[in-house]
Amino acid sequence: MPLITPSQVVLDLSAADSHAATRRLAETLVESGRTTDVEAFLDDVRAREEVMATGLPGGIGIPHARSAAITEPSLVFGRATRGIDWGAKDGPATLIFLIAAPEGGGEAHMQVLPKLAKALMDQSFRSALEAATTEAEVVALVEERVSLDEPKQGTPQPVASAAPPAVESSDSTQSSEPTHSSDEGAADEASSGGASATTAGEGSHSLHLVAVTSCPTGIAHTYMAAEALRTAAEEAGHTITVETQGSAGSTPLSRSEIQRADAVIFAHDLEVKDKGRFAGLPTVDVGVKKGVSDAPELVERAVTLAGQWAADPQRAAAAAAATDLADGTGDEDPEVSTATRVRQWLMTGVSYMIPFVAAGGILIALSFMLAQIAMGEKGAIEITQYSLTAEGDLNIANSFSPLSLTSWAALFFVIGGAAFGFLVPILSGYIAYAIADRPGLVPGIVSGWIASTMGAGFLGGLATGFIAGFVARWVAGWKVHAGVRGVMPVVVIPLLSTLITAGLFITALGRPITWLMDSLTAGLEGMGGGSALLLGALLGGMMGFDLGGPVNKVAYTFGTTGLTVAGTATDAIQLKIMAAVMAGGMVAPLALALATTVRPRLFSEPERENGRAAWLLGASFISEGAIPFAAADPVRVMASSVVGSAITGALVMAGGVTLRAPHGGVWVLPLMGNFLMFVVALAVGVVVMAAIVIALKTMGSRAAQPEGDPQRVAA
């Protein structure tokens, strides 16, 4: 069955937004019998769009998904003369390809993607699509450039790079030579290809580059970036081999390909698999979209770096000693600000810490619940006497009885307390890891344990994490003798970075940070009345401000890291802060779900569909469920969200609700102290926000009515 038919071409695509346009294109698949459930397919496409917008520079949109509702690999083309916003920075899309791939049809759609990527990089192909006057003409243009290969018997033979073979194209795309599956074959190619490379470009020095591309779903941007890099390298007179880490997996570049490479380009939104393979190579590291939009610039940067490294061999030696350490020897994306990098480093530490918080907090909460059942009102206090080092029956390792509820409560408490003991070391260790990769783990974790032992809490963990990361990164960048390089990662870097970081903290930084932490804790514990309400309102408002963005993350980090101070206490102020943070983060998606239910005509069809999903997302404390609404109408949604979330946060603090779990939403209600007040506070905030959203949208709708567009997005 052909990929595209005349019925799958819409030459006069007109829609209010990308969601409506996608629906119009997807409906053609119903007519051609290629989908069993168009709504399920649209849900899959929408889920992909929420990960990352699929608009590309040059007026292109490529919505796509692999879906169980698709029966045949299919392309649908739409041409929007007026353009439709598809998330690209340079403006709306006029040429839209909807890619529909069967969930289990990996090989087929992996053939399509590299070919479509290559075609869309060709201005003549885009111009021909813009000039086409009939559906049949579009089909002919597409089939000429993009088609499925017939299944071949026996061992597949290499083919030209313009039409990659079914298996090879899923793994690597090259500029002028086929990828070999073995190191020996690649070595042969290196001996001959390397010689030819030096004569390419009319006598100019030609380099051999390698690259890795990946995007969140590995369906389109991965291959678009690969093709853009291939074309850019070829036009610059260089060769390139690209490893596409796509949705169907990837076959890594061979060792010999990497060894003969002059530089590497990472255009990725996912972590590069086995990044250490490229140690010692000058590196350009950017997001996958820059691989699509700025490929010539990336190739130029890689060539410049290769020249600099060739002139200074010690740079390669230092990078090789640090394995895959991000020590500044690469060429990092200049568009990423220092503030953004600091936030990324911090959030890496927090993300690794949260599972320890969840495990420890929930176990301790369950322990207190069981202890109160087994031992009465003071059970939650008495159970804290149990440990692995206590004498007599209080040593749970010696006295555990499967038939005793008290024993189970003590077991949960001891295990939960052990998990809590790792919070600061893990926070510190993985901040250092984010900065310096693996060399940062040892100094970060060891120094974090020291900070915790000295009572410096999460502030100490933050300090040791950043210090350990930068010290390890600095030591790893030393230019050392070749005989020392082998022991740098396993001996020298961890030894010196741990000694410097831990020694500095113990002798100079530990006591003032501990004093600061004690002062902060005392200040929080002394809060009451208006000050507690104000703190709750502030944290709730921050959670509702940007719905998963930097401000939201600051409030959430404050709540979760505060749990490290609360420890095993039963009524610490930090537990109330965590409850206020969670409640504030649940308001926006629940309120918008309510608003779309009460006044559906104020919202577009995609928003109403998002509203149905937002019930579950909000109940599960996933603030991002409100992002589609905020993106479409930021002023009204964010303003109402801040108000509703602030009210909820203040009420939770006033009601003395406590929470140990860092996540979970309504699913951890039984673990809360005074959970009924939590429900009341949440309901009040949801109703208030929904009412404000409805009022603001109603006024906006009336104001826009004379222009004939009641759904006009607020400026």
Side-chain angles (χ1 to χ4, degrees):
M1 185 177 290
L3 282 168
I4 187 170
T5 65
S7 66
Q8 290 162 222
V9 176
V10 182
L11 292 178
D12 56 347
L13 182 61
S14 176
D17 54 31
S18 60
H19 294 301
T22 303
R23 175 175 291 277
R24 173 70 183 90
L25 296 175
E27 286 171 350
T28 67
L29 297 175
V30 178
E31 300 168 10
S32 58
R34 294 169 181 252
T35 179
T36 58
D37 187 341
V38 70
E39 295 298 333
F41 173 57
L42 286 171
D43 287 343
D44 291 332
V45 175
R46 189 173 298 111
R48 169 64 187 87
E49 293 285 336
E50 290 174 358
V51 173
M52 184 174 70
T54 55
L56 298 174
I60 299 170
I62 48 168
H64 55 270
R66 297 177 70 176
S67 175
I70 296 298
T71 59
E72 295 286 341
S74 305
L75 289 177
V76 183
F77 173 74
R79 190 173 65 194
T81 305
R82 295 184 178 180
I84 299 171
D85 181 14
W86 226 280
K89 291 183 179 180
D90 67 337
T94 56
L95 304 178
I96 298 98
F97 274 99
L98 174 62
I99 307 172
E103 191 170 55
E107 180 175 311
H109 93 275
M110 299 307 284
Q111 288 186 45
V112 172
L113 292 171
K115 297 178 182 180
L116 181 60
K118 183 177 179 65
L120 288 174
M121 293 296 105
D122 186 345
Q123 179 60 48
S124 63
F125 177 69
R126 299 199 300 268
S127 299
L129 290 175
E130 291 170 350
T133 57
T134 66
E135 289 82 356
E137 188 177 350
V138 171
V139 170
L141 287 169
V142 173
E143 287 187 335
E144 181 182 356
R145 304 293 293 270
V146 183
S147 62
L148 288 176
D149 297 335
E150 293 297 325
K152 298 180 181 180
Q153 300 296 324
T155 304
Q157 300 298 317
V159 297
S161 61
V167 177
E168 297 281 336
S169 64
S170 68
D171 305 319
S172 60
T173 303
Q174 302 187 171
S175 63
S176 62
E177 54 203 12
T179 297
H180 295 270
S181 59
S182 67
D183 288 345
E184 290 78 6
D188 294 339
E189 185 69 23
S191 62
S192 60
S196 63
T198 59
T199 59
E202 297 181 356
S204 62
H205 180 57
S206 176
L207 303 183
H208 180 65
L209 308 176
V210 292
V212 177
T213 62
S214 72
C215 64
T217 59
I219 288 186
H221 288 81
T222 299
Y223 303 97
M224 300 288 286
E227 180 58 30
L229 290 171
R230 186 203 69 79
T231 301
E234 188 177 70
E235 291 176 351
H238 307 292
T239 62
I240 190 169
T241 307
V242 185
E243 178 181 316
T244 53
Q245 295 183 352
S247 60
S250 83
T251 298
L253 290 161
S254 67
R255 183 172 64 252
S256 56
E257 280 283 358
I258 297 172
Q259 287 176 341
R260 74 185 184 95
D262 296 290
V264 59
I265 299 172
F266 295 141
H268 63 117
D269 284 338
L270 299 178
E271 188 64 28
V272 174
K273 299 172 185 175
D274 197 10
K275 200 172 184 179
R277 295 173 292 159
F278 303 95
L281 284 177
T283 303
V284 177
D285 194 337
V286 297
V288 69
K289 275 201 169 184
K290 286 187 72 68
V292 178
S293 60
D294 299 321
E297 177 195 344
L298 300 184
V299 170
E300 182 180 350
R301 284 162 60 179
V303 171
T304 300
L305 272 179
Q308 294 172 353
W309 281 46
D312 183 7
Q314 287 298 318
R315 299 184 69 174
T323 314
D324 56 344
L325 176 65
D327 60 358
T329 54
D331 188 20
E332 296 179 333
D333 189 353
E335 293 185 4
V336 179
S337 66
T338 300
T340 298
R341 293 195 186 281
V342 170
R343 181 173 63 85
Q344 290 172 342
W345 294 331
L346 174 61
M347 290 312 300
T348 297
V350 172
S351 67
Y352 278 99
M353 181 192 73
I354 284 177
F356 289 84
V357 177
I362 291 174
L363 284 171
I364 291 174
L366 290 172
S367 167
F368 290 163
M369 291 172 58
L370 295 177
Q372 287 180 316
I373 296 173
M375 306 166 69
E377 291 184 2
K378 296 184 178 180
I381 298 175
E382 294 176 2
I383 204 67
T384 60
Q385 300 176 35
Y386 283 82
S387 71
L388 295 175
T389 58
E391 299 292 334
D393 291 342
L394 294 178
N395 188 318
I396 190 60
N398 299 329
S399 62
F400 178 77
S401 171
L403 302 179
S404 170
L405 198 58
T406 300
S407 289
W408 283 105
L411 181 68
F412 287 177
F413 176 79
V414 170
I415 298 174
F420 260 41
F422 286 96
L423 299 186
V424 174
I426 292 299
L427 173 67
S428 174
Y430 279 94
I431 290 174
Y433 172 80
I435 297 170
D437 214 282
R438 284 177 292 181
L441 278 176
V442 173
I445 291 176
V446 172
S447 301
W449 180 86
I450 291 172
S452 178
T453 303
M454 293 181 67
F458 77 89
L459 291 181
L462 296 178
T464 55
F466 281 101
I467 294 171
F470 285 113
V471 170
R473 184 167 168 167
W474 170 60
V475 175
W478 289 357
K479 298 178 180 180
V480 298
H481 189 274
V484 182
R485 288 202 302 265
V487 297
M488 284 288 289
V490 295
V491 177
V492 179
I493 298 174
L495 172 64
L496 293 181
S497 58
T498 301
L499 178 61
I500 294 171
T501 305
L504 181 63
F505 193 85
I506 291 172
T507 59
L509 299 177
R511 283 173 292 177
I513 292 179
T514 299
W515 174 84
L516 181 61
M517 192 68 201
D518 290 342
S519 300
L520 175 61
T521 302
L524 290 174
E525 290 175 347
M527 281 188 168
S531 59
L533 283 173
L534 182 60
L535 178 61
L538 175 63
L539 291 172
M542 291 174 68
M543 289 299 294
F545 177 70
D546 53 358
L547 306 170
V551 176
N552 173 285
K553 287 295 187 289
V554 168
Y556 182 65
T557 301
F558 181 69
T560 54
T561 53
L563 294 177
T564 66
V565 181
T568 57
T570 58
D571 194 35
I573 183 67
Q574 290 82 5
L575 305 182
K576 299 175 184 178
I577 289 173
M578 188 68 245
V581 165
M582 182 177 289
M586 295 170 65
V587 168
L590 289 174
L592 290 163
L594 177 62
T596 57
T597 302
V598 174
R599 293 291 301 277
R601 293 186 179 180
L602 292 174
F603 299 89
S604 66
E605 182 180 348
E607 286 178 325
R608 291 195 293 270
E609 293 178 359
N610 285 326
R612 288 190 285 271
W615 285 113
L616 179 59
L617 295 175
S620 301
F621 181 39
I622 301 176
S623 304
E624 288 83 353
I627 287 179
F629 300 91
D633 194 354
V635 174
R636 296 186 182 98
V637 170
M638 292 177 68
S640 56
S641 175
V642 169
V643 174
S645 299
I647 290 173
T648 291
L651 291 176
V652 167
M653 287 289 285
V657 182
T658 59
L659 174 64
R660 290 188 172 278
H663 218 290
V666 298
W667 313 112
V668 294
L669 279 178
L671 305 180
M672 295 181 187
N674 196 8
F675 71 87
L676 288 178
M677 185 61 196
F678 182 92
V679 174
V680 171
L682 181 61
V684 170
V686 167
V687 171
V688 168
M689 178 183 169
I692 296 175
V693 166
I694 290 173
L696 292 177
K697 281 188 171 288
T698 300
M699 290 187 291
S701 176
R702 290 172 180 169
Q705 189 65 39
E707 298 180 27
D709 186 8
Q711 297 295 335
R712 184 167 59 120
V713 176

